[in-house]
Amino acid sequence: MTRYVYLLFIFSFLGQFGLTAQDDGSIAIKNGSFEDLPRKGGDNVLSLRGWFDCGRVDFPGTTPPDVHPNEFWGNTVPPAQGKTYLGMVVREDETWESVAQRLDSPMEEGKCYSLSMHLCRSDDYLSATNSSNQNLKSFTEPIILRIWGGNGYCNQREILYESEPIDHKEWMIYEFFFENKYPNRYITLEAYYRTSSLFPYNGHLLIDDLSDINLEKC
């Protein structure tokens, strides 16, 4: 009888601990370190583990983002964390790359959150475009990262963050805070042209070590 009561106490304690960990308001990001097999996007039509390739919806026929580091495109920047990271591009043919994920619980309306990540770009990044599949072109122009909240994969209901053009080759930590306006269950990471550009161009950014979404005081 004593042993039964002891075990019951232990399981009750662990259950309370689990509820406490879930009730801290944080929302887990699956594979925020973008760990997978390094590869060119065109080598595999599947998305990076834990992420959905929005190009399937937005620009059918385009290749998905790349998993780095690899020498396929001339990029040898080491990871900021773990073994691999994500590379996304914008193209001169007015197509760009983005990935999305369904969260285990929504970002609640009217609550404030924080998110952080490592960003940089490579001095060398050669790739093909849809208009020039045979000839590799330079993709080293700086671009920006936009993060969206939405109610479905790749849905852009609410802009949560927009970076400055990423023009540095060393990893730098970017952290931002936002107040959520809608109960967004999905998050999208989107590579996009710098806002000052009048015409589409070839560029890229690298992203690693995306944090969980942490609840903050407004």
Side-chain angles (χ1 to χ4, degrees):
M1 184 68 179
T2 302
R3 182 184 179 191
Y4 173 79
V5 172
Y6 176 75
L7 289 175
L8 184 62
F9 170 77
I10 290 296
F11 286 125
S12 175
F13 173 78
L14 291 175
Q16 292 176 1
F17 179 81
L19 288 174
T20 301
Q22 293 172 359
D23 288 346
D24 67 356
S26 65
I27 303 172
I29 292 290
K30 294 178 282 291
N31 193 20
S33 185
F34 307 102
E35 298 299 314
D36 211 320
L37 181 68
R39 62 178 183 268
K40 294 183 292 185
D43 289 346
N44 194 325
V45 296
L46 299 177
S47 294
L48 174 70
R49 181 170 56 85
W51 296 90
F52 178 83
D53 170 28
C54 294
R56 301 183 196 176
V57 178
D58 298 334
F59 307 109
T62 59
T63 58
D66 305 312
V67 181
H68 296 271
N70 60 60
E71 297 181 357
F72 304 125
W73 304 134
N75 169 40
T76 57
V77 174
Q81 194 275 335
K83 295 182 178 180
T84 58
Y85 54 88
L86 178 66
M88 295 193 293
V89 304
V90 300
R91 308 181 185 94
E92 61 188 16
D93 60 6
E94 295 189 81
T95 65
W96 56 88
E97 295 179 335
S98 56
V99 294
Q101 182 175 125
R102 184 181 188 272
L103 304 172
D104 290 335
S105 58
M107 295 175 280
E108 297 184 37
E109 179 181 353
K111 291 192 175 182
C112 296
Y113 299 90
S114 66
L115 193 62
S116 67
M117 73 220 78
H118 283 75
L119 297 173
C120 75
R121 72 175 180 88
S122 173
D123 280 341
D124 300 303
Y125 203 108
L126 297 173
S127 185
T129 65
N130 291 333
S131 59
S132 178
N133 290 321
Q134 301 300 321
N135 299 319
L136 298 183
K137 295 188 175 183
S138 175
F139 275 70
T140 55
E141 286 295 312
I143 66 174
I144 67 173
L145 174 69
R146 300 200 298 193
I147 300 181
W148 298 88
N151 60 357
Y153 283 110
C154 312
N155 176 256
Q156 298 181 343
R157 177 162 64 177
E158 180 179 356
I159 183 73
L160 305 178
Y161 175 70
E162 182 174 301
S163 76
E164 296 295 323
I166 307 304
D167 59 359
H168 47 84
K169 61 182 180 181
E170 298 83 14
W171 290 107
M172 292 182 62
I173 298 175
Y174 287 72
E175 184 175 17
F176 68 97
F177 302 83
F178 61 95
E179 182 175 355
N180 210 64
K181 297 179 181 178
Y182 302 96
N184 294 314
R185 191 63 181 266
Y186 295 78
I187 188 170
T188 299
L189 312 180
E190 179 188 52
Y192 202 70
Y193 311 96
R194 55 180 178 264
T195 54
S196 61
S197 177
L198 298 177
F199 303 99
Y201 59 90
N202 296 325
H204 82 280
L205 61 77
L206 309 174
I207 177 171
D208 198 0
D209 198 21
L210 182 68
S211 74
D212 290 341
I213 302 171
N214 298 306
L215 183 65
E216 304 285 351
K217 290 184 179 180
C218 290

